[in-house]
Amino acid sequence: SDQDGPLRGHRAPDKIPGSGARQVSLLRPVLGVAGALARGLAMPWKRTAEGCELTYVTTADGWVLPLRRVRRSERPPLGPLLLQHGLGSNHMVYLFPGRSLASRMADLGFDCWVPDLRGRGLARPPRGVRRWTTSDYVDQDLPAIVDAILTRTGYDDLLWVGHSMGGVLLYMYGIRHGT
């Protein structure tokens, strides 16, 4: 009924005044979507996935990078999985509340690691540094991240899932570091 929609108490006329045409209300569905969106945004979101451990890695050139770990057991049977975000995003692409790929993969038996590269999220530069290149990701950030993951898990290798630039970085890392 008209009382249940976003325009409570408002009833649109059946016909446009002065014509024989029926009125088509586009406003009602738009307001309904906007209202649902507003209610969703007003919900208190968790900042990280449930059971997420936050640690930090320091690169050779002094950047401090956050590294989040999501696992369901002490030694997950499927080993470490690096989930690398793309350009213009951060860890939330894999730790989005209610739709966390990291949490889902951890449920399946992976030890998930979700970093933020320099310039993203909680990453902190050394004093005075404000510029970086893709080479810095490949030569500084990723070696520190991969080394930290392998050291902390005791594995000799890891799996890598990359979104957009995160996938390109996998290829660049393999070419540059031969692994």
Side-chain angles (χ1 to χ4, degrees), residues 81-129:
L81 173 63
L82 171 62
L83 298 167
Q84 184 56 62
H85 67 77
L87 182 66
S89 63
N90 61 20
H91 68 279
M92 290 301 291
V93 74
Y94 294 113
L95 294 172
F96 193 81
R99 290 174 174 77
S100 170
L101 180 61
S103 293
R104 178 68 179 129
M105 297 305 283
D107 289 341
L108 293 174
F110 291 97
D111 186 358
C112 298
W113 296 82
V114 185
D116 279 333
L117 298 174
R118 58 186 63 208
R120 299 287 168 233
L122 297 175
R124 296 295 169 253
R127 184 175 291 264
V129 174

Side-chain angles (χ1 to χ4, degrees), residues 146-168:
V146 169
D147 182 60
I149 293 170
L150 296 178
T151 299
R152 293 176 188 170
T153 61
Y155 281 83
D156 295 327
D157 58 0
L158 56 79
L159 299 171
W160 184 320
V161 171
H163 170 254
S164 188
M165 181 188 73
V168 172

